């Protein structure tokens, strides 16, 4: 006989959320937090499980944040799959889980006019191609932190620049939350899981493998002693160009904390890539470590 499915409780107002969490806090439970935009996949669930392994209660927020999308981006067609998401979360039943579904009216009430302006770490790469994106991300994440009051919040390395920016914001603004950044979860063939993968046609899904292949090439080049960043980037780009449909937004080797381009791979270095396939934009990254550790 199959086990009955218990969908996690849903909280829609800040008052409900705060009441429930204050009971948990009273019971000395550590609060873990996983902010998401829904359309959940194994990458999101790995964050939920990481939280459940060290926290007494986990809050998962599902909110497609309008302010982090540009006017010509995919906000209106971003997948919204609440029923599926709740069933996916029901499989994470190790410790109590709450789902927070904030409403637009409470996130951005009429007259809303206060923003988090992120610093230089938000300027290059995604920041340059998606102006205003990280301002929207930083603002919504700070608001969610203030609403949930988590002890620990979990983010994916998949969005490397975002995770770097959140760490910076937490340090800069003395936010009382610990940040954990968890490894990117991939499909068996290496494609990084993403809510946007579902937009890919079957042909583009195959072509998308070139992102992971180019990151593997970078790792191999570093392992074989190549240290010149321009040479590595050129070889990655050449590999991506073997797929004529793939349009490169950027390929970069950067300092893992400041995200400034590096000339040489001496210490840990992040390889960041963004590629468009059809109407879908994919990002991926890997940390290169010349010491091999
Ligand atoms: P999103 O719903 O795309 O805003 O993502 C919510 C969180 O899940 C972010 O911290 C992402 O970095 C993380 N995430 C997304 N995809 C993956 C993945 N493939 N592996 C690990 N974490 C991920």
């Amino acid at each position: 006989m199959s086990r009955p499915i218990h969908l996690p409780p849903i909280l829609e107002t800040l008052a409900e959320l705060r009441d429930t969490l204050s009971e948990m806090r009273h019971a000395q439970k550590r609060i873990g937090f996983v902010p998401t935009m829904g359309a959940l996949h194994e990458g999101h669930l790995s964050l939920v499980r990481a939280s459940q392994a060290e926290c007494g209660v986990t809050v998962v927020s599902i909110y497609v944040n309008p302010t982090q999308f540009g006017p010509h981006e995919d906000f209106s067609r971003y997948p919204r799959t609440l029923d599926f998401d709740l069933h996916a979360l029901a499989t994470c039943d190790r410790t109590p889980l709450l789902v927070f579904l904030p409403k637009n009216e409470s996130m951005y009430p009429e007259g809303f006019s206060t923003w988090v302006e992120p610093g230089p770490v938000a300027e290059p790469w995604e920041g340059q191609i998606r102006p205003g994106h990280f301002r929207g991300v930083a603002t919504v994440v700070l608001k969610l932190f203030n609403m949930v009051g988590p002890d620990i919040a979990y983010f994916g390395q998949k969005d490397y620049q975002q995770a770097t920016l959140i760490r910076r914001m937490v340090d800069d603004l003395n936010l009382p939350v610990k940040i954990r950044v968890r490894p990117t979860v991939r499909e068996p063939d290496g494609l990084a899981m993403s809510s946007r993968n579902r937009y890919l046609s079957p042909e583009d899904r195959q072509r998308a493998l070139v992102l992971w292949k180019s990151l593997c090439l970078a790792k191999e080049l570093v392992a074989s002693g190549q240290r010149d960043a321009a040479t590595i980037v050129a070889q990655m780009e050449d590999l991506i160009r073997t797929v004529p449909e793939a349009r490169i937004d950027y390929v970069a080797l950067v300092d893992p904390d400041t995200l400034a381009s590096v000339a040489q791979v001496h210490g840990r270095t992040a390889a960041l890539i963004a590629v468009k396939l059809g109407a879908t934009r994919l990002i991926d990254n890997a940390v290169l470590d010349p010491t091999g550790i």
Side-chain angles (χ1 to χ4, degrees):
M1 229 175 72
S2 58
R3 280 205 300 158
I5 299 169
H6 295 291
L7 297 184
I10 295 178
L11 306 171
E12 292 189 306
T13 68
L14 183 54
E16 278 176 295
L17 179 74
R18 287 205 166 132
D19 280 355
T20 311
L21 290 179
S22 86
E23 281 169 32
M24 304 279 183
R25 250 180 231 109
H26 252 86
Q28 308 284 323
K29 285 193 198 292
R30 200 188 269 165
I31 298 171
F33 180 41
V34 181
T36 82
M37 298 204 300
L40 301 184
H41 51 64
E42 237 350 271
H44 299 110
L45 300 185
S46 73
L47 303 181
V48 173
R49 289 193 205 98
S51 171
Q52 290 183 311
E54 60 180 346
C55 297
V57 56
T58 296
V59 180
V60 178
S61 64
I62 300 181
Y63 179 62
V64 185
N65 172 37
T67 65
Q68 70 189 66
F69 289 80
H72 305 296
E73 292 184 2
D74 56 349
F75 173 69
S76 55
R77 69 172 191 132
Y78 196 85
R80 288 157 173 89
T81 60
L82 182 59
D83 197 48
F84 171 88
D85 293 348
L86 294 176
H87 281 83
L89 290 172
T91 65
C92 302
D93 52 5
R94 189 168 161 182
T95 53
L97 192 75
L98 303 171
V99 179
F100 180 42
L101 300 179
K103 297 245 193 300
N104 277 333
E105 307 85 85
S106 61
M107 294 306 278
Y108 299 104
E110 193 142 322
F112 180 90
S113 59
T114 306
W115 298 89
V116 178
E117 202 58 64
V121 98
E123 279 164 22
W125 323 124
E126 288 304 285
Q128 189 168 6
I129 288 170
R130 307 183 66 189
H133 169 66
F134 286 126
R135 177 172 108 135
V137 169
T139 302
V140 82
V141 170
L142 179 61
K143 282 175 66 78
L144 290 166
F145 283 176
N146 286 336
M147 291 168 149
V148 175
D151 296 288
I152 311 180
Y154 298 81
F155 292 85
Q157 187 191 316
K158 161 74 174 36
D159 297 279
Y160 192 95
Q161 193 171 6
Q162 170 176 285
T164 308
L165 170 115
I166 301 294
R167 281 193 203 276
R168 188 73 259 160
M169 175 175 79
V170 165
D171 283 353
D172 287 350
L173 302 183
N174 307 95
L175 304 182
V177 55
K178 286 199 182 75
I179 301 298
R180 303 258 195 271
V181 179
R182 305 282 309 162
T184 302
V185 176
R186 298 178 180 281
E187 301 286 357
D189 61 8
L191 179 68
M193 289 193 181
S194 163
S195 305
R196 290 185 168 100
N197 289 350
R198 70 188 67 202
Y199 299 151
L200 295 168
S201 66
E203 296 76 21
D204 283 343
R205 167 67 183 77
Q206 267 320 103
R207 293 171 185 136
L209 284 181
V210 78
L211 279 86
W212 175 232
K213 284 187 188 152
S214 73
L215 292 170
C216 291
L217 173 63
K219 287 184 190 204
E220 282 160 26
L221 289 169
V222 169
S224 66
Q226 181 58 260
R227 296 288 175 265
D228 184 62
T231 305
I232 298 169
V233 167
Q235 294 211 30
M236 292 170 77
E237 289 181 344
D238 284 348
L239 179 62
I240 297 171
R241 285 199 196 97
T242 62
V243 176
E245 295 80 4
R247 281 123 52 220
I248 298 174
D249 270 351
Y250 58 80
V251 174
L253 295 198
V254 304
D255 178 282
D257 301 314
T258 65
L259 305 191
S261 288
V262 296
Q264 295 285 315
V265 180
H266 284 318
R268 287 173 75 252
T269 301
L272 308 179
I273 52 184
V275 166
K276 284 204 222 63
L277 277 165
T280 306
R281 201 164 165 277
L282 300 173
I283 59 172
D284 201 351
N285 67 83
V287 175
L288 312 174
D289 191 344
T291 62
I293 300 166

